[in-house]
Amino acid sequence: MRHYLQAATSDNTRKAYRSAIRQFEKWGGRLPSDRDTVVHYLLARAKSLNPRTLDLHLTAISQWHHYQGLIDPVSDPLVRKTMEGVRRTQGQPKRKAKALRLEHIAQMVTHLRQLPDTKKKQRDIALVLTGFFGAFRRSELVAIQIGDLVWEPEGLLIKLPRSKTDQQATGLVRALPFGAPGCCPATAMRNWIESVEINEGPIFRPINRWDKVQPKALNSGAINELLKTLGNACQFDFVSDLSSHSFRRGLSTSAARERVDFELIKKQGGWKSDATVWEYIEEGQQFNNNAALVLMEKLEALVGNV
């Protein structure tokens, strides 16, 4: 039973809850807790912690009480009302990763192709193209194994047994069709695999300073570092806003600008929520689907007749 109870929650969620509980206890809180203690905790941390972080802390405290079969102090109306006040007074817009455009990916790949021919160069080209066109999360990219690849005449299928939004392991499939060699993720993936002769294990791996490929999987944090390195090399003015999520936001917003169908965008990114996809579509089309643009065209005709 303990095994299945542990499997019901992802490792990342468990780590986040443990961290939240530690911070609560470091402040002086104790478990089990009560309404007044939780309220005082919110008042003490409201100005130093983002409201989204405090929400996570409340969830962790709440979950601890639920699983112990104890009264949940977080469900008390006073706690909820206090937290709502914190959100209204201390809330800030969520910082979003910069969405990479097609021209940004082109600059990155062009820069990489101009570098001396190394194994790292081959890996990085495959990683950038696969991450963007597959709309992968970084955890998914580093989890890809050689056995997850299915080669078809039309392209490459990547079948992952589990992902962040697929904790019940129903499976994730991303299709990468063959395209022009210079920008084709499937071709770049094949070139990378053949150059280092990967026959088993993870696809994307660390490479040391001597260009020697390591047998273990690449650390997910290395993807953010790579994007920032490439961003600096390409002299982007948004390097601080680059992260692995720039791939997913970039694919969806770029596809929206090209008027790609909603269902195709949703399918490629594996999004469960329609609202999330529509948010990306609206972001991608915020200039060409714009009331001001229509009115400016009308105004131009009127000015011309004056």
Side-chain angles (χ1 to χ4, degrees), residues 8-24:
T9 305
S10 74
D11 289 340
N12 286 340
T13 300
R14 213 167 7 249
K15 290 177 183 177
Y17 285 176
R18 288 197 199 104
S19 175
I21 293 298
R22 282 197 298 270
Q23 292 188 57
F24 176 66

Side-chain angles (χ1 to χ4, degrees), residues 78-139:
L78 182 60
V79 173
R80 293 187 174 278
K81 197 72 174 177
T82 303
M83 189 61 222
E84 181 61 30
V86 171
R87 292 190 199 98
R88 286 176 174 269
T89 56
Q90 303 297 330
Q92 299 176 357
K94 185 177 180 180
R95 187 174 181 179
K96 298 179 180 180
K98 173 69 175 179
L100 286 166
R101 291 173 173 255
L102 287 173
E103 52 265 37
H104 299 144
I105 298 297
Q107 287 178 261
M108 287 182 173
V109 173
T110 298
H111 166 75
L112 286 168
R113 293 196 187 283
Q114 292 172 347
L115 297 176
D117 194 19
T118 62
K119 294 172 183 176
K120 185 178 184 303
K121 167 183 171 178
Q122 295 293 331
R123 184 204 66 182
D124 291 349
I125 291 173
L127 199 155
V128 168
L129 291 174
T130 302
F132 180 80
F133 287 106
F136 283 106
R137 299 177 178 87
R138 65 179 186 175
S139 60

Side-chain angles (χ1 to χ4, degrees), residues 285-299:
Q285 297 181 349
Q286 59 188 332
F287 288 108
N288 51 4
N289 271 7
N290 191 304
L293 179 62
V294 177
L295 295 176
M296 283 189 285
E297 291 174 350
K298 181 66 174 179
L299 178 61

Side-chain angles (χ1 to χ4, degrees), residues 143-278:
I144 300 174
Q145 303 279 313
I146 190 70
D148 298 327
L149 307 185
V150 179
W151 295 96
E152 300 286 356
E154 300 86 358
L156 171 64
L157 294 177
I158 301 178
K159 298 183 176 183
L160 291 180
R162 188 187 298 275
S163 70
K164 178 181 177 182
T165 56
D166 180 30
Q167 296 299 322
Q168 295 183 0
T170 57
L172 172 156
V173 179
R174 296 282 162 76
L176 299 175
F178 285 124
C183 60
C184 175
T187 301
M189 182 78 88
R190 175 173 282 169
N191 291 341
W192 157 241
I193 293 171
E194 291 178 351
S195 70
V196 293
E197 299 180 346
I198 297 176
N199 297 312
E200 61 179 1
I203 294 294
F204 295 115
R205 308 176 180 204
I207 301 175
N208 64 23
R209 69 180 69 182
W210 299 283
D211 206 35
K212 183 175 177 57
V213 180
Q214 307 301 301
K216 63 182 179 180
L218 187 68
N219 184 288
S220 60
I223 297 178
N224 285 1
E225 294 173 10
L226 172 62
L227 284 177
K228 291 184 183 299
T229 298
L230 291 174
N232 281 318
C234 295
Q235 298 183 333
F236 295 155
D237 59 3
F238 49 81
V239 174
S240 62
D241 295 324
L242 278 175
S243 76
S244 56
H245 198 60
S246 299
F247 285 140
R248 286 174 65 75
R249 289 180 59 83
L251 180 281
S252 54
T253 54
S254 295
R257 278 189 289 272
E258 299 301 322
R259 305 290 183 174
V260 175
D261 183 73
F262 168 87
E263 290 297 336
L264 293 179
I265 298 175
K266 181 180 179 182
K267 180 180 179 181
Q268 188 68 356
W271 284 283
K272 302 294 183 183
S273 168
D274 286 1
T276 300
V277 182
W278 280 120

Side-chain angles (χ1 to χ4, degrees), residues 43-98:
L43 296 177
R45 305 303 302 275
K47 292 186 177 180
S48 60
L49 292 179
N50 188 294
R52 286 184 291 276
T53 302
L54 276 178
D55 273 325
L56 173 63
H57 289 194
L58 289 183
T59 300
I61 295 169
S62 175
Q63 290 293 305
W64 188 93
H65 285 82
H66 275 300
Y67 285 112
Q68 300 301 320
L70 302 173
I71 296 175
D72 175 19
V74 176
S75 63
D76 188 276
L78 182 60
V79 173
R80 293 187 174 278
K81 197 72 174 177
T82 303
M83 189 61 222
E84 181 61 30
V86 171
R87 292 190 199 98
R88 286 176 174 269
T89 56
Q90 303 297 330
Q92 299 176 357
K94 185 177 180 180
R95 187 174 181 179
K96 298 179 180 180
K98 173 69 175 179

